[in-house]
Amino acid sequence: MDHAADAHRTDLMTITRFVLNEQSKYPESRGDFTILLNHIVLGCKFVCSAVNKAGLAKLIGLAGETNVQGEEQKKLDVLSNEVFIKALVSSGRTCILVSEEDEEATFVEPSKRGRYCVVFDPLDGSSNIDCAVSIGTIFGIYTVKDYHEPTLADVLQPGKHMLAAGYCMYGSSCTLVLSTGGGVNGFTLDPSLGEFILTHPDIKIPKKGKIYSVNEGNAKNWDGPTTKYVEKCKFPKDGSSSKSLRYIGSMVADVHRTLLYGGIFLYPADKKSPNGKLRVLYEVFPMSFLMEQAGGQAFTGKQRALDLVPTKIHERSPIFLGSYDDVEEIKALYAAEGKE
Ligand code: FDP
């Protein structure tokens, strides 16, 4: 064993160290946010370990199977939800939780309340679990006005009021991308240490990209601007090269690639789903927050995504997000349509 190399590893920038450093910039801080984030990180590690075993489900009894002890095992998305709810409640720093898995918001019991609201999708892209494609957890954090009397209004706020947002992608590596409002940083889980290490400091999305990402199977139902935009990606008339199409169908993975390589991710409205498919609170807002923090843009087809004021916790919205110039083009097409 190379002890010298191991010794060096102790000065790595772990996510805990990173957040503590950030915290030290605010002398009035009591460390509540750091504690909350530690609990989210714990949830991510737990889910990562469960996802890694998903392919062995039939052998060891996960996801709806019965295990060797004869106990009924839970579906991964149900399990992930329970993991995050328990982690967040036991942090003692939350008061309202909104999860994709639960119809109603969870109001934390008074003795365990803190001042944060967390909106999250515990396992997004879950239709990809059985074929081992990357999936992820998405989260956004708000502060409550008065934690003695939390109400739904505390989470039905525009995305621009979010304090922090992030996602954890369970892929070929486990990657956590986080913004607390001062840029975007990416951390990769080192399985040998069980720690997330800062591997992608200060992520900036390229100003213009070469990739578009959309479910083209819905094309016959798209509106004019989306149709024109995708046509332009494939058959540009200004002499530029066509864009490449990449669509995994797992939002975290598609957005992660868009953030790192540039380009645009679209989940537009269509005739069958006039509000698109993706959920405002725990898909559209956190990803839009990260995009803006990385120098990109996020647009709903009508307005800046983070200006949207949700009226229901599971509301949906169309979304176009990614490189600044690419989103600018789709905005111009919607503006032109408005003038017709
Ligand atoms: P999934 O249905 O597998 O859970 O909102 C969920 C989501 O995946 C996103 O992760 C993904 O971007 C989108 O739906 C894919 O939808 P389509 O299958 O309609 O393309």
Side-chain angles (χ1 to χ4, degrees):
M1 205 204 286
D2 185 346
H3 290 289
D6 273 358
H8 278 126
R9 301 189 74 188
T10 58
D11 62 1
L12 292 169
M13 182 60 85
T14 65
I15 193 162
T16 312
R17 193 173 264 175
F18 180 87
V19 176
L20 283 170
N21 282 353
E22 290 293 300
Q23 186 192 314
S24 66
K25 292 180 193 159
Y26 305 94
E28 72 287 359
S29 163
R30 292 172 303 179
D32 287 341
F33 183 74
T34 307
I35 292 171
L36 171 65
L37 207 70
N38 270 330
H39 284 77
I40 293 179
V41 167
L42 176 66
C44 293
K45 287 182 195 169
F46 202 106
V47 173
C48 176
S49 140
V51 166
N52 286 341
K53 288 180 215 148
L56 300 168
K58 290 209 169 58
L59 287 180
I60 60 173
L62 278 171
E65 300 287 319
T66 303
N67 70 10
V68 281
Q69 283 89 30
E71 297 158 334
E72 178 70 14
Q73 294 295 292
K74 295 192 172 92
K75 291 258 179 226
L76 262 185
D77 37 11
V78 177
L79 175 80
S80 307
N81 191 40
E82 288 184 12
V83 164
F84 278 100
I85 297 271
K86 278 192 190 139
L88 292 167
V89 171
S90 66
S91 76
R93 302 299 184 279
T94 60
C95 63
I96 309 177
L97 308 175
V98 172
S99 164
E100 195 266 347
E101 285 289 323
D102 297 324
E103 211 170 305
E104 307 289 339
T106 303
F107 286 81
V108 177
E109 64 177 88
S111 65
K112 292 185 177 154
R113 269 183 202 159
R115 61 196 170 110
Y116 297 105
C117 311
V118 183
V119 292
F120 61 103
D121 187 344
L123 205 57
D124 188 77
S126 45
S127 65
N128 289 298
I129 295 173
D130 288 345
C131 56
V133 164
S134 301
I135 45 183
T137 299
I138 310 174
F139 59 90
I141 303 172
Y142 290 103
T143 35
V144 70
K145 274 203 194 85
D146 174 3
Y147 72 80
H148 299 294
E149 280 184 58
T151 69
L152 270 192
D154 288 305
V155 282
L156 295 176
Q157 297 192 54
K160 64 185 171 196
H161 291 172
M162 273 183 173
L163 196 73
Y167 60 79
C168 185
M169 185 176 72
Y170 313 110
S172 50
S173 59
C174 179
T175 310
L176 198 149
V177 173
L178 173 72
S179 175
T180 54
V184 180
N185 290 283
F187 304 82
T188 305
L189 183 65
D190 179 336
S192 65
L193 294 173
E195 288 275 11
F196 280 100
I197 311 295
L198 180 65
T199 47
H200 297 71
D202 197 18
I203 297 172
K204 294 283 174 233
I205 183 168
K207 191 153 181 289
K208 190 167 175 59
K210 297 182 181 140
I211 299 173
Y212 72 106
S213 184
V214 66
N215 184 344
E216 282 215 59
N218 297 328
K220 77 172 163 54
N221 291 319
W222 286 344
D223 63 11
T226 303
T227 308
K228 278 185 201 153
Y229 181 77
V230 172
E231 189 70 4
K232 209 171 152 200
C233 290
K234 296 194 275 193
F235 305 103
K237 294 205 177 92
D238 58 2
S240 60
S241 313
S242 318
K243 289 193 191 298
S244 291
L245 168 65
R246 296 282 184 277
Y247 189 69
I248 299 166
S250 179
M251 188 187 197
V252 175
D254 281 315
V255 169
H256 188 63
R257 182 202 54 247
T258 305
L259 197 60
L260 296 187
Y261 295 174
I264 186 163
F265 169 83
L266 312 81
Y267 209 109
D270 63 46
K271 280 185 212 130
K272 283 203 297 194
S273 323
N275 294 320
K277 175 180 184 188
L278 302 180
R279 311 292 184 141
V280 172
L281 275 185
Y282 39 80
E283 291 182 312
V284 169
F285 278 172
M287 294 312 201
S288 299
F289 187 92
L290 291 166
M291 278 297 160
E292 285 200 4
Q293 287 292 323
Q297 296 198 74
F299 177 63
T300 65
K302 290 194 174 117
Q303 61 181 336
R304 174 188 173 211
L306 293 179
D307 282 341
L308 193 77
V309 186
T311 54
K312 291 184 297 193
I313 59 171
H314 296 297
E315 192 165 310
R316 300 170 196 264
S317 169
I319 185 70
F320 305 88
L321 51 77
S323 292
Y324 192 95
D325 288 354
D326 294 320
V327 178
E328 210 52 25
E329 282 183 30
I330 189 99
K331 280 165 79 177
L333 289 167
Y334 274 98
E337 186 195 52
K339 286 187 196 130
E340 273 168 19

